[in-house]
Amino acid sequence: MNTKKLYYWRLLCFVILASLASCNTNNNGDDLSINNGKLKLSFSKENGSLIVFQDLIENYEFLDEKKTLELPWEINFNHAQDSLYEPLDFEYSKPDSLTLVLKWGNFKGEENKEFAVTAVINLDKEKALSYWKISLVGTQGKEINSVVFPKISGFKDLGQEKLAIPNIMGELLTDPRGILSSRKSENKRLDWVYPDNLSLQCLALYNPEKIGLYLASNDTHTFRKAYSLNLDKSNNFTYQMSNYPSFDANSNSYSPSYEAVIGSFKGDWVTAAEQYREWGSQQEWTSKSRFKNGLHPDWLEETALWVWNRGRSDNVLVPAAALKKRLGLPVNVFWHWWHGASYDEGFPEYFPPREGGESFINAMKLAQQKGVHSIVYMNSFQWGDSTESWKTENASVYAVKDINGNLRSHAYNIFTGNSLTNMCMGTQFWKDKYTSLSESAVNIYGTNGVYMDQACMSRVCYDKAHGHAIGGGNYWFKNFGKLTDQIRSKISIEKEPILAGEHCNESWMPYLDLFLTLQVSRERYSGVGQWEVIPFFQAVYHEYAITYGNYSSLVTPPYDELWPKEFAPENQEQPLDPIFNKQFLMEQARSFVWGMQPTISNYHSFLETQRKEEIDYLMSIAKIRYQGLKYLLHGKFLRAPSMQIPEEELDISKLSIYAGRKGESVTAYKKKYPLAYSGAWKADDGNVGIPLTSISEKHMLINFKIDTNDYNISSNGEVYLINSEGRKLLTTYKENEVIVEHQLKPREVCLIEIIPTL
């Protein structure tokens, strides 16, 4: 063999050996990258820090090249002495072209001799998604508060950033990085817990014109976890997911059953919601959804309007029955302050009702004869620690305990200062207690169900005597399911009862019939701020869960008759200043186009004359919605068509709807809002419904175009208009283009139907 051939032969051998070495488990390889043609990830050979996160389609690198090389995980122990130093050993392997295995070991300290951390990161075969899973060994004897993984620092500013989160229903923040940077405190962090304030396991940080980060997890068993974004003093932006193991001194390992999901997308929050829906709609919570499986009574679906009133039956059932007669459609009641105990203080001493058992039962029977159904308030896990029953039933034994053995209490009642204490959902004692209360509400007092306040929240309990895992886990959610099963085994089906809950959550869909989502009225309870309300939850799960409710009210707050008299205001439930009327319209418009059952808070018959235009508008919404239930109740969320909508600066009130007190005044704001609202929903038969409404006193010309491919409907068809005048053909369309032009009358409510030709 001549010298030249020998040279090339040796070079070929070198290439082969180098390639083999890159798949070895030692640190001699050079390839710590994975690439699926859409996404490329590269990790540091020094410590496994992520150093490249690149969208290959858009040719965009998300990470700052100057980022610090921090470990992609962090472990926090219960005791300060249980600490880990930097691992001395780091190994990696590449089992296949889409998978990396990273392993850290040889930690300092004899107590950490067997401790090791392994991370497996792999790329989706078809999508711009990566999956991250962590495992720990050598954990015996250690109490781990949290395992932070992944922890990724150095995300570059995307420019014109927006952050979408499913905080209860959904919220959108513009310029999150700038807002954190402007904080004067050292806390420059945004964080959320699932399941609790987060109803889904997904965040989206994006520039709608450029690129976006999809940040999620694929937990199908509802383990408690947290997500956060943090801006440090060096302006370094970090995303992390915190996992919460249960304390188990005998266990020598921990590995979550789920993965973190991190990906890239181009679009906006709707794009992210559609991607999450593709996964979420395949999970057990949708296949077992009570709504999807028709496990609720017919009257729930038939509800045209909810009246959310408080107090005795003549202040609740009587006006609801009158409203039902006027509307000509089913009106039902969401009832607070019916109970014998003071609100936010005397729970769970609900019985007998404050107006007396006989009066309550007779009023309920009369309302049901008129077709009005009622669900009554009962908090799902709070017990007033100033009540007599707290002592006589030894309730503290079964209450949630924090890591130091303390009770978790909070004084919601600003008038008495008395606290409510969290009861542990994992105890049979509390499940039995709440079941007996629900049984009494339905079987004895004749209600049509229970509204379980704070239902879609969760708590962490460290009481070893309760029989559940200690610390993190999913025992709260699992025991809530057991509770609802137990309740339904005891309550009479003759009353056609339902169980409703506060907030919404994907995992609760097999257990609750109805979800209260109040963010439609976010401004009314938190004022005008930096967050904008979006229907994130409905975009993912509308056809699997019925949502309702808002704080939309036209009067000043009521005051519980059982609270201290000295704080009672003189102008209870009197009409608010009419400058805030348009806020009411805006809240009702949101509910309509976002596919929610309409609700009015603190309704009274005098509003029919004193706030006639606003009540007439609400009646129109209820009537038009009722003609489009296949879209607005059963339909699948679609992106609303793009329209040019004028805005107007509105007067916004921040005022409690149920806690008026002496000297309290409205906090007023001004902010620009759209004067028209729209949505888009696809029915099971393939038709598309576009709810459209104006809150303006002026006529408004609406023009929009739709590409039928965007809605996956046929290229030809007809377009109809449903409004107060009836249903009529508006136009026809062909060649994949729907062109709609409609002159909206002042405060008109309508539904545009697109009927494809089959």
Side-chain angles (χ1 to χ4, degrees), residues 477-664:
F477 157 72
K478 291 168 67 175
N479 278 282
F480 186 92
K482 292 178 181 178
L483 170 62
T484 56
D485 288 346
Q486 185 171 310
I487 292 171
R488 288 193 170 94
S489 73
K490 298 292 185 180
I491 57 179
S492 170
I493 60 173
E494 293 181 2
K495 293 297 181 182
E496 298 183 304
I498 67 167
L499 295 179
E502 185 183 18
H503 300 338
C504 51
N505 189 284
E506 58 192 2
S507 298
W508 268 253
M509 294 191 298
Y511 303 118
L512 293 175
D513 302 287
L514 182 65
F515 297 90
L516 180 70
T517 49
L518 297 175
Q519 282 174 300
V520 169
S521 301
R522 192 182 195 281
E523 294 87 350
R524 197 177 290 264
Y525 64 78
S526 64
V528 171
Q530 297 161 326
W531 291 93
E532 175 189 346
V533 182
I534 56 174
F536 205 137
F537 182 81
Q538 286 88 344
V540 177
Y541 290 123
H542 181 261
E543 66 265 49
Y544 302 102
I546 304 177
T547 56
Y548 80 116
N550 53 57
Y551 278 143
S552 190
S553 176
L554 291 164
V555 299
T556 56
Y559 186 84
D560 190 342
E561 64 183 89
L562 301 180
W563 288 340
K565 304 301 182 185
E566 61 267 26
F567 297 114
E570 296 178 357
N571 63 338
Q572 296 180 49
E573 302 197 82
Q574 297 302 305
L576 280 167
D577 190 317
I579 66 171
F580 301 119
N581 287 350
K582 199 167 284 188
Q583 179 182 5
F584 174 88
L585 302 179
M586 179 260 288
E587 293 167 320
Q588 296 297 340
R590 285 173 171 173
S591 296
F592 171 59
V593 302
W594 291 346
M596 301 172 63
Q597 289 186 331
T599 303
I600 182 172
S601 298
N602 302 328
Y603 171 76
H604 298 282
S605 297
F606 64 75
L607 293 172
E608 294 181 13
T609 55
Q610 296 191 35
R611 293 292 182 269
K612 183 179 186 304
E613 291 184 358
E614 287 68 38
I615 297 300
D616 286 348
Y617 180 77
L618 177 62
M619 299 296 99
S620 295
I621 277 182
K623 291 176 180 178
I624 299 302
R625 175 187 172 274
Y626 217 69
Q627 297 181 64
L629 291 183
K630 71 178 185 178
Y631 308 111
L632 297 173
L633 179 66
H634 297 281
K636 180 180 180 180
F637 179 94
L638 300 173
R639 183 186 296 276
S642 177
M643 305 179 191
Q644 294 297 319
I645 302 297
E647 293 185 340
E648 180 181 298
E649 188 174 70
L650 304 186
D651 289 287
I652 299 296
S653 64
K654 176 188 175 185
L655 184 68
S656 169
I657 62 163
Y658 63 90
R661 61 186 302 181
K662 283 184 178 179
E664 184 178 24

Side-chain angles (χ1 to χ4, degrees), residues 397-422:
V397 173
Y398 309 100
V400 170
K401 309 299 190 308
D402 69 15
I403 201 166
N404 298 313
N406 300 314
L407 299 176
R408 179 169 176 150
S409 303
H410 181 77
Y412 294 92
N413 194 315
I414 61 176
F415 308 109
T416 67
N418 291 328
S419 299
L420 296 176
T421 295
N422 295 181

